């Protein structure tokens, strides 16, 4: 068992090294909420999906709103059978394709320029860090709706409307930790109305560099909840 744990720790460090080489969008658009998932959050999300859920290795994986490809490339690195990355923005997809060459995973991800509404098919696992709907109300709901339609298991990040100061403090203390929290009543209903079940919700601190005018500080910090949905 010790050896397996050691191997996984090394794999997580290697994964984070790879994710940090995935370039961000050169000119992110605020209307599409194009910020890149921080390396520590992507690493942990992929780690949970791969080693807690067993939902990456030999699975078909969809990264919805893939941006420049961190989650998709991480899934390919961890042994997914196939990976598709979809984004409405052509520049994101061009950078994602360059990124796959940069990290030695060329040809391992199918990159597609498409709106989330156009996605169809069936995937074992959907990973998504969707627009949170800060700019366009309901944007994350469109993503969740689609993910639940096409994915057997869904790992989806959603902005927490209000984070208590104690939770923030704990997450700041160890920024790569995820803390188990209760689902929002709205999202729980949303998921259950579609015949699905929330398997777990984990809060995580997101710290992204200031990129848009509506970010007032140098670093924009907020709490996101990772929803794991199956059923
Ligand atoms: C918060 S960013 C996340 C990017 C990437 N998944 C990551 O975590 O680094 C949201 C992404 O969703 C994409 N997006 C926004 N609206 C979309 C839509 N209607 N259909 C497909 N992709 C969309 C944006 O272009 C952006 O790349």
């Amino acid at each position: 068992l010790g050896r397996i744990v050691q191997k996984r720790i090394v794999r997580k460090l290697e994964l984070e090294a790879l994710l940090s080489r995935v370039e961000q969008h050169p000119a992110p658009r605020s209307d599409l909420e194009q910020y890149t998932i921080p390396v520590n959050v992507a690493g942990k999300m992929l780690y949970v999906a791969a080693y807690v859920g067993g939902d990456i290795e030999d699975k078909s994986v969809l990264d919805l709103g893939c941006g420049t490809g961190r989650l998709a490339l991480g899934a390919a690195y961890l042994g997914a059978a196939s990976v598709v990355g979809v984004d409405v923005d052509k520049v994101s997809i061009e950078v994602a394709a360059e990124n796959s060459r940069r990290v030695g995973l060329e040809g391992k991800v199918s990159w597609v320029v498409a709106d989330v509404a156009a996605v169809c098919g069936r995937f074992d696992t959907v990973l998504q860090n969707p627009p949170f709907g800060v700019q366009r109300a309901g944007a994350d709901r469109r993503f969740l709706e689609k993910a639940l339609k096409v994915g057997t298991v869904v790992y989806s990040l959603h902005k927490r409307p209000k984070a208590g100061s104690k939770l923030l403090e704990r997450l700041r203390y160890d920024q790569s930790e995820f803390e188990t929290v209760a689902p929002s009543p709205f999202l729980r209903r949303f998921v259950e109305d579609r015949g699905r079940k929330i398997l777990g919700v984990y809060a995580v601190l997101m710290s992204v560099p200031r990129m848009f005018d509506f970010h007032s500080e140098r670093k924009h910090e907020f709490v996101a909840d990772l929803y794991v949905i199956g059923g």
Side-chain angles (χ1 to χ4, degrees):
L1 186 70
R3 237 202 228 148
I4 295 177
V5 171
Q6 206 176 8
K7 226 170 134 189
R8 285 185 181 174
I9 292 171
V10 171
R11 200 138 176 78
K12 183 156 182 275
L13 292 174
E14 286 171 357
L15 170 69
E16 290 190 353
L18 177 136
L19 296 174
S20 65
R21 283 162 52 218
V22 172
E23 295 282 343
Q24 306 193 18
H25 199 294
R29 278 172 55 182
S30 64
D31 60 331
L32 294 176
E33 297 186 43
Q34 286 178 325
Y35 71 84
T36 306
I37 188 168
V39 167
N40 65 317
V41 178
K44 184 78 187 196
M45 181 168 165
L46 286 158
Y47 190 87
V48 169
Y51 300 121
V52 181
D55 292 317
I56 301 290
E57 206 175 326
D58 298 330
K59 304 289 185 187
S60 55
V61 176
L62 169 68
D63 178 354
L64 216 42
C66 63
T68 61
R70 264 195 188 148
L71 292 172
L73 289 166
Y77 175 75
L78 292 175
S82 63
V83 187
V84 176
V86 176
D87 203 287
V88 73
D89 175 48
K90 190 162 167 269
V91 176
S92 293
I93 292 295
E94 283 166 0
V95 178
E98 266 169 48
N99 278 332
S100 42
R101 285 189 281 279
R102 178 172 298 109
V103 301
L105 290 170
E106 190 172 5
K108 298 281 184 194
V109 179
S110 306
W111 302 110
V112 182
V113 181
D115 189 281
V116 61
V119 173
C120 54
R122 192 75 211 161
F123 299 84
D124 295 317
T125 307
V126 178
L127 304 173
Q128 60 177 10
N129 174 27
F132 290 133
V134 173
Q135 294 299 301
R136 286 184 191 165
D140 62 338
R141 269 167 254 168
R142 288 182 66 214
F143 273 70
L144 190 55
E145 182 90 60
K146 178 61 72 173
L148 294 175
K149 261 199 192 125
V150 301
T152 303
V153 183
V154 174
Y155 291 80
S156 185
L157 281 167
H158 296 268
K159 190 169 187 187
R160 171 166 279 257
K162 261 192 240 139
S165 56
K166 287 225 168 95
L167 176 64
L168 256 174
E169 217 173 276
R170 285 197 299 275
L171 294 174
R172 273 196 194 120
Y173 180 73
D174 186 349
Q175 301 211 358
S176 60
E177 255 334 292
F178 279 17
E179 180 164 320
T180 303
V181 288
S184 89
F186 174 80
L187 285 178
R188 199 172 68 176
R189 216 172 318 116
F190 189 93
V191 167
E192 290 178 357
D193 282 353
R194 284 152 186 82
R196 306 296 295 273
K197 197 170 164 223
I198 293 175
L199 306 178
V201 189
Y202 308 95
V204 60
L205 187 72
M206 298 279 260
S207 184
V208 296
R210 181 186 191 282
M211 353 174 20
F212 305 129
D213 290 343
F214 58 85
H215 292 166
S216 48
E217 321 91 346
R218 194 171 51 84
K219 246 184 2 182
H220 182 55
E221 201 178 66
F222 57 93
V223 175
D225 291 339
L226 172 66
Y227 281 72
V228 183
I229 302 164

